[in-house]
Amino acid sequence: DILKLDMLVNTLENEHELDKNSLAELLECKDVPILYTAADRVRKKFVGDDVYLRGLIEFSNFCCRTCFYCGLRAANSGIKRYRMEPGEVIECAANAVKYGLKTIVLQSGEDKFFTVNDLCKIVDKIKDMGTAVTLSVGELSRNDYTALKHAGADRYLLRIETSNEKLYESLHPRMSYKNRVRCLYDLKELGYETGTGCLIGLPGQTPEMLAEDLLFFKKIDADMIGMGPFIPCKGTPLEYEAEGNVETVLKMMALARLLMPDINMPVTTALGVKADDGYRKGLGCGANVIMPNMGIDDYKKLYAIYPGKGDKVETLENQINVIKCLISKEGRVVGKHFGGRIRTVKI
Ligand code: 5AD
């Protein structure tokens, strides 16, 4: 069995391919340090020791969707809603730039209050600061994605959440799996660096489904992959379900790095919340991106996708310092460039 494990990890490290059943098998292994060390080697070889910092601004927690797992779902009346003024968003971005961050990530619930035109103006202003801009505002029409691209947006994050159509549709009332996939292909075609990812440990999710998630990421040629444990959240239909397993998240990250050696992969806040030392562990399993929250303190705890997030709000300076310390302690360096995906593997 150890021999077989060795063989599978070897294949992954050398060929960056593996079939679904073998991936599922690896996901079911208990503790797999050789998987982590292989992912760490591949990370070093293909994207180096740089860790890129992206300044996250969660500018609105209003959402018209009713995803079963998410605390921001429209039907959750238990949270206070907020919306930043465009001027506040710009100010946060300027602050992030002051701390040396080279990418601004604008994220929100699907808040139809902001028109695409509003968003275009904000993107345009932030682009003038000389940063890369990533958007994460959900499903839009191809036209809207086009307008935002023209306004200067460089990248887009839209997790598929699960690539299992049945599971997807059982967790997302009145949404369709096909439209989500359409969004991802539109984003790719329009020239966005496109990020996706999944939740790990959703009720009903099997190792085979997780293996398929990885193969889906590879198939659509995702440029970035963000994955974190499912964390049950009060005020949602999944409130009393079990949470996702941290080791499974680390294995998924390692497998993503091995399958897609030159992608960007963050350590997610959800992993940081659930694992002791989550950021350090993530960095050791293939991650090369950290996303410090550069928003407004009072709003951070209101962006309550899941519990635990925003429990310890630190000053921006502290937050960045802690991250920089961790990076150097792990023998890594803070990336000085935009940190876009640089293709080093032929497809
Ligand atoms: N636990 C973990 N992650 C969650 N997200 C939403 N709700 C939860 C939860 N309860 C993730 C989704 C979404 C991202 C912004 O947050 O994957 O894409």
Side-chain angles (χ1 to χ4, degrees), residues 67-72 107-108 136 157-161 172 180 197-200 202 226-233 236 238 270 303-307 309:
C67 309
F68 271 24
Y69 44 79
C70 183
L72 303 190
Q107 185 168 84
S108 70
S136 180
L157 306 176
L158 184 75
R159 289 187 181 172
I160 191 72
E161 314 294 0
H172 302 94
R180 203 149 184 100
C198 61
L199 286 161
I200 295 166
L202 288 165
M227 295 180 290
F230 158 64
I231 305 173
C233 183
T236 69
L238 302 185
Y303 204 82
I305 305 178
Y306 46 78
K309 209 189 141 284

